[in-house]
Amino acid sequence: MNRMDIRLSQCFIAVDDHEAALAFYRDALGFEVRNDVAFEGMRWVTIGSPSQPDVEIVLEPPLANPNASPADKQAMAELLAKGMLRGVIFSTDDCDAAFEHLRASGAEVLQEPMDQPYGVRDCAFRDPAGNMLRFTQRRSG
């Protein structure tokens, strides 16, 4: 059987304010904006790390379905506001520097840098929409 080459191309992060999200992901994290599309009253912004041109993050509305009921849209917005939707984990070669940079940008700190028993040093923040983001650095040894 031939081995298939399957890689991550896009992942999605729900945001309720694209301008606040851009101030965080573009301005604080240094991600580049690759696409900005409006459709049926909604907006999708595709961003990515300059060092990973083949991986994109799509910043989308909490319930990006034009046919969703108002009750479902409200429920998703409430879950997002509580930070209950899954976040993302980014890797970095310097967790402490990333932490200081993001804290200085005004991002909400959830966890200061600490060594975890599973071999990484990490820290955590909330993005402007309430999503939890972790920044991990592999520990040597």
Side-chain angles (χ1 to χ4, degrees), residues 68-87:
S69 73
D72 285 348
K73 289 180 181 177
Q74 180 63 31
M76 288 296 286
E78 289 172 6
L79 288 172
L80 176 63
K82 292 178 187 175
M84 300 296 286
L85 301 183
R86 294 299 299 164

Side-chain angles (χ1 to χ4, degrees), residues 2 11 35 40 44-45 48 57 61 71 78 107 109-110 118 131:
N2 292 339
C11 64
N35 210 351
E40 294 194 14
W44 287 263
V45 178
I57 298 170
E78 289 172 6
V109 175
L110 290 178
Y118 42 89
N131 296 298

Side-chain angles (χ1 to χ4, degrees), residues 28 39 41 56 63 82 89 103 128 137:
F39 178 72
E56 298 178 327
L63 189 55
K82 292 178 187 175
I89 298 176
R103 182 169 63 178
Q137 173 186 351

Side-chain angles (χ1 to χ4, degrees), residues 23-96:
F24 180 80
Y25 289 97
R26 179 194 58 212
D27 303 340
L29 287 181
F31 285 180
E32 56 193 18
V33 174
R34 298 183 181 160
N35 210 351
D36 192 337
V37 177
F39 178 72
E40 294 194 14
M42 290 182 278
R43 181 179 179 192
W44 287 263
V45 178
T46 306
I47 59 171
S49 170
S51 65
Q52 288 183 299
D54 57 341
V55 178
E56 298 178 327
I57 298 170
V58 181
L59 305 175
E60 66 172 0
L63 189 55
N65 178 342
N67 300 317
S69 73
D72 285 348
K73 289 180 181 177
Q74 180 63 31
M76 288 296 286
E78 289 172 6
L79 288 172
L80 176 63
K82 292 178 187 175
M84 300 296 286
L85 301 183
R86 294 299 299 164
V88 216
I89 298 176
F90 295 101
S91 62
T92 178
D93 56 1
D94 190 338
C95 177
D96 294 87

Side-chain angles (χ1 to χ4, degrees), residues 95 99 103 109-116 121-124:
C95 177
F99 175 81
R103 182 169 63 178
V109 175
L110 290 178
Q111 176 205 302
E112 295 197 2
M114 64 183 288
D115 293 337
Q116 300 288 3
R121 181 169 180 79
D122 72 357
C123 61

